[in-house]
Amino acid sequence: MKKFLILTLLLALSFAGLQAQKIETHLSDSAFASIITCGAGDEFYTTFGHSAIRICDTTQNLDLVYNYGTFNFDTPHFYWTFACGRLNYHLARGPFQNFIIEYAFEGRAVWEQRLRISNQELNNLFVLLETNYLPEYRYYMYDFFRDNCATRVRDMVQGCLCHRDISPEVTADTNFTYRQFLHQSTETTLLWWRLGIDIALGQRCDHRCSNYQYMFSPIEMMHQFDTMTVSDTHQPLCEPTVQILAEKRAPLSRSISPTLLFWVIFMAVMLLTLLSWRKSWSLKWLDIPIFILPLLVSVLVIFLWFFTNHYCTKPNFNILWASPLFLYFVLRLHKSNRWIVLVQLVMLLGAMVMTLAPLPQQLNVAILPISLILFLRLIAQLRAPAQVKTNSKRK
């Protein structure tokens, strides 16, 4: 990435004459650059915050925000493109005042960290951003963990430095995974979204991150820049963080725990199953919707794993419980082949173990009662033929 930024910088310098016709590329000695970090919003896609870069030069009446988190809803086949991981995000540029008004309207917190860089480095950053804003360079393939609004800000700041590097401080959280960081942001109010995230994301989200990788999270990147130093002087890269806007949005209400709900459903299914064994009830009306649920989830898992460009959805061990074999069980029900049922039972046991011991992938804890429900009803499939024979002999 750094080689790419150096190449971009050289390219930017070659375009400096052209850019000078549009905007003055040399900033005054009083100019400054800062990292802008925005807190969470009410919409799910704003849950993890946002990052941008501010360039301010009052002598030139210039105060701009460069925002890498912009996408176009008018993109042809927008939702399909997004689902396939092929949606281009782009760099947007606008007045700082408009940016602040928007976040004040949403009631979101905003912090600023002014960079302690030389005037030459500041001009390097400005030229990098202006070059990146050119139509032929502003678009990029978004990746939530590896290439997003925060990582682009981090890489631009690192790329503008002259013959020196930045060093994140080692923290106590170096054993965290990408998934655990997402869990922190969905602690009590977005539990259903957390379940959906855990189903969609695969094993690649469960590797231990470095401090550098932690900075995919805007809030975490702000904390990292608070303690970051430069390699030559070992001095802080940023001035102390200043809060520009306080959070004023109403807190989200607590959501019903999916884990609790599925445990209640499991108890109900277990009661119905025990009664059916005692009274010889046929519970086909129950099995069909129960088996359709993992079947539909398996379609999503397989699609995200094999047919998209998403880095973080491969491989996905949710396939152990959300198995395509449930299509067979829906069609056959009590006539299912015994060995196929046994294979799926083993897969469900594997899923249950992975909810308790998250290796090689951490499955959501709600998968445990879901797997138990499926396990119980598949056991009923094995008992059904024997029960029919017993009833026939009694007659």
Side-chain angles (χ1 to χ4, degrees), residues 270-311:
M270 183 172 66
L271 179 61
L272 283 171
T273 301
L274 293 175
L275 287 173
S276 72
W277 289 347
R278 183 168 183 172
K279 299 189 177 184
S280 300
W281 291 346
S282 174
L283 295 182
K284 291 182 180 181
W285 59 270
L286 178 64
D287 288 336
I288 290 176
I290 284 179
F291 292 163
I292 284 177
L293 172 63
L295 174 60
L296 294 177
V297 175
S298 74
V299 173
L300 174 65
V301 169
I302 291 170
F303 170 73
L304 292 174
W305 184 348
F306 294 103
F307 300 102
T308 73
N309 291 345
H310 294 293
Y311 168 82

Side-chain angles (χ1 to χ4, degrees), residues 61 115 289 300:
N61 195 28
L115 296 171
L300 174 65

Side-chain angles (χ1 to χ4, degrees), residues 42-304:
D42 293 331
E43 301 297 332
F44 175 71
Y45 65 87
T46 65
T47 299
F48 308 104
H50 183 53
S51 297
I53 297 177
R54 178 187 183 187
I55 301 289
C56 182
D57 189 352
T58 54
T59 62
Q60 296 188 41
N61 195 28
L62 182 149
D63 197 356
L64 297 173
V65 170
Y66 294 83
N67 174 10
Y68 281 96
T70 310
F71 55 86
N72 185 2
F73 275 110
D74 294 329
T75 302
H77 312 294
F78 173 83
Y79 291 104
W80 178 253
T81 304
F82 177 80
C84 292
R86 303 187 187 106
L87 182 65
N88 278 328
Y89 276 54
H90 66 271
L91 172 63
R93 182 185 71 186
F96 173 72
Q97 193 61 34
N98 292 355
F99 184 88
I100 289 298
I101 289 173
E102 178 183 349
Y103 281 87
F105 178 78
E106 295 178 5
R108 296 169 64 179
V110 176
W111 297 269
E112 182 174 28
Q113 295 167 293
R114 189 173 296 193
L115 296 171
R116 300 176 62 182
I117 56 179
S118 68
N119 186 259
Q120 178 60 58
E121 291 170 334
L122 174 59
N123 277 279
N124 291 346
L125 178 60
F126 188 41
V127 172
L128 272 172
L129 292 168
E130 279 299 305
T131 303
N132 222 192
Y133 185 65
L134 292 171
E136 58 266 40
Y137 300 122
R138 71 178 60 163
Y139 294 93
Y140 71 100
M141 192 67 69
Y142 180 85
D143 184 294
F144 183 76
F145 294 111
R146 301 181 302 166
D147 198 356
N148 65 11
C149 67
T151 63
R152 286 260 160 171
V153 168
R154 174 200 66 194
D155 294 342
M156 285 293 164
V157 171
Q158 182 171 353
C160 78
L161 301 179
C162 296
H163 309 296
R164 55 183 185 162
D165 206 345
I166 54 178
S167 302
E169 184 182 78
V170 176
T171 68
D173 296 330
T174 52
N175 286 329
F176 268 29
T177 65
Y178 285 134
R179 194 184 305 274
Q180 288 168 335
F181 265 104
L182 298 184
H183 284 182
Q184 284 185 324
S185 301
T186 55
E187 193 66 39
T188 58
T189 58
L190 295 168
L191 296 178
W192 286 94
W193 278 109
R194 179 194 289 191
L195 175 59
I197 289 171
D198 283 340
I199 290 173
L201 299 183
Q203 183 200 1
R204 289 176 177 174
C205 296
D206 293 294
H207 84 279
R208 304 301 177 182
C209 297
S210 67
N211 281 16
Y212 193 77
Q213 291 170 322
Y214 285 162
M215 287 188 275
F216 82 94
S217 162
I219 302 299
E220 177 61 25
M221 187 177 73
M222 179 178 69
H223 296 325
Q224 291 280 356
F225 270 91
D226 260 340
T227 60
M228 195 173 292
T229 58
V230 288
S231 58
D232 58 341
T233 63
H234 303 290
Q235 295 298 310
L237 178 64
C238 297
E239 302 288 346
T241 302
V242 175
Q243 187 165 15
I244 301 174
L245 291 177
E247 184 173 18
K248 295 184 178 179
R249 67 189 183 96
L252 297 175
S253 58
R254 292 177 64 93
S255 58
I256 298 174
S257 168
T259 305
L260 177 61
L261 177 60
F262 285 119
W263 275 119
V264 171
I265 294 174
F266 167 71
M267 297 300 292
V269 170
M270 183 172 66
L271 179 61
L272 283 171
T273 301
L274 293 175
L275 287 173
S276 72
W277 289 347
R278 183 168 183 172
K279 299 189 177 184
S280 300
W281 291 346
S282 174
L283 295 182
K284 291 182 180 181
W285 59 270
L286 178 64
D287 288 336
I288 290 176
I290 284 179
F291 292 163
I292 284 177
L293 172 63
L295 174 60
L296 294 177
V297 175
S298 74
V299 173
L300 174 65
V301 169
I302 291 170
F303 170 73
L304 292 174

Side-chain angles (χ1 to χ4, degrees), residues 367-381:
I367 302 306
L368 181 57
I370 293 174
S371 296
L372 283 170
I373 292 169
L374 297 171
F375 193 91
L376 189 60
R377 292 314 303 159
L378 285 176
I379 291 293
Q381 302 299 307

